[in-house]
Amino acid sequence: MQDEPEVTVLRYGHRPGRDDRMTTHVGLTARALGADRVVFPDNAGQSLETVEDITGRFGGPFTVELTDRLNAFIRDWEGVVVHLTMYGERVQDVEEAVRERHQSEPILVVVGGEKVPFEVYEEADYNVGVTNQPHSEVAGLAVFLDRLFDGRELEREWEDADRTVIPKATGKKVVEPGSAEAAAVGDADADADANADDA
Amino acid sequence: MQDEPEVTVLRYGHRPGRDDRMTTHVGLTARALGADRVVFPDNAGQSLETVEDITGRFGGPFTVELTDRLNAFIRDWEGVVVHLTMYGERVQDVEEAVRERHQSEPILVVVGGEKVPFEVYEEADYNVGVTNQPHSEVAGLAVFLDRLFDGRELEREWEDADRTVIPKATGKKVVEPGSAEAAAVGDADADADANADDA
């Protein structure tokens, strides 16, 4: 987030077709929950397009990139490498150490897709389990970021958005930022529905 | 979780094939992060099987059910209904009220899939946005549960597990609970990999 050392999320591994939605959700979760950038494997161009599209409409800054060198990206990272895995140390035991290092160092959060090679476990400064149970890389990433930022990510502001959702007890309200009497865009235009599923 | 009013997660909507992994991840996230039960639409039998399989191997208690009456399930809920939606009130503004009610009342957490009808917004006691940005229903559920339970879910213990992952700074260690010298089950048996992707 602005005024903090960078946080980048690296999606390690992607199977086109099969993983499209999961990879897209990793990217959208990274964006929504305070990361500055997501990096996908170079065969995940479709997920890149979706995340860029959402960023164009709902605002940034947020960067999406592809890489064809996942291992080198991790090896060359100048800062702290956190690898999320159900085999790692308990998040509640290491989060404070990671938060402290994030005060001065950029963080790379590696999120596994297909099987992650042992090299990644070795390169990581922290292998971290959000529970030691099998669940979802998207869920693990979400809880990790919320704890890394200590909830500050929920207060972040968005620049250059075409539309902004106004929190509402019942129903949906979407406005164009900056419009004097921010005009309500009706339900019919809610093409970016809760999960960007069809994005 | 044990000794607390029940928390049930209801997956609202499911498109077989297309949504299988997302629905499975909703179920596994519910289990891993402290819910007692997940209820899927009746066309999500494949996701039910996966979540039951994981529960059989990694422990419970955790229940998976199907329903053919989503709306009635919400309407008949005796307790608090929370609907997660990017259009709702900010989680940081309502979480304390929900936590307080959970001290004495069961909570139903509704997680949207396809478009959610307006009736659900109306039936909900709280429409809650984990950010007002489009991202992932799995990420929203994860952050919501972590905040509902205030991190207690990370300490829960599992009963009747065939295997238990031992947190480790590097590598993987899986043991059979109860074995005197808990025997390490090697990497080769790590069929329940981080994300249960192939489960």
Side-chain angles (χ1 to χ4, degrees), chain A residues 25-155:
Chain A
H25 282 220
V26 165
L28 293 176
T29 297
R31 173 186 170 277
L33 296 179
D36 301 286
R37 176 166 63 141
V38 72
V39 180
F40 293 146
D42 61 356
N43 61 352
Q46 192 180 323
S47 294
L48 172 136
E49 278 177 34
T50 303
V51 178
E52 281 188 338
D53 176 57
I54 292 285
T55 302
R57 289 192 278 154
F58 287 86
F62 187 75
T63 310
V64 199
E65 292 169 21
L66 302 180
T67 182
D68 60 356
R69 299 174 67 243
L70 292 167
N71 291 332
F73 196 96
I74 297 170
R75 217 166 34 237
D76 297 344
W77 184 256
E78 296 187 1
V80 180
V81 176
V82 174
H83 169 221
L84 299 181
T85 161
M86 68 179 275
Y87 300 102
E89 297 181 275
R90 308 189 319 160
V91 63
Q92 63 269 45
D93 294 339
V94 299
E95 61 183 309
E96 198 173 322
V98 177
R99 268 198 300 267
E100 224 157 83
R101 294 191 63 177
H102 180 230
Q103 289 179 10
S104 59
E105 294 177 80
I107 309 270
L108 178 66
V109 184
V110 182
V111 176
E114 326 166 60
K115 278 234 197 287
V116 172
F118 194 66
E119 183 182 349
V120 174
Y121 290 80
E122 288 183 316
E123 287 288 344
D125 296 291
Y126 301 92
N127 290 286
V128 178
V130 175
T131 80
N132 295 102
Q133 298 293 319
H135 56 103
S136 169
E137 63 267 45
V138 174
L141 175 63
V143 169
F144 180 78
L145 291 175
D146 189 36
R147 287 170 172 250
L148 173 65
F149 293 120
D150 229 346
R152 289 192 308 282
E153 82 283 1
L154 300 179
E155 309 288 343

Side-chain angles (χ1 to χ4, degrees), chain B residues 42 49 62 75 84 89 103 163 167 190:
Chain B
D42 61 357
E49 277 177 34
F62 187 74
R75 217 167 32 238
L84 299 180
E89 297 182 274
Q103 289 180 10
R163 66 193 72 188

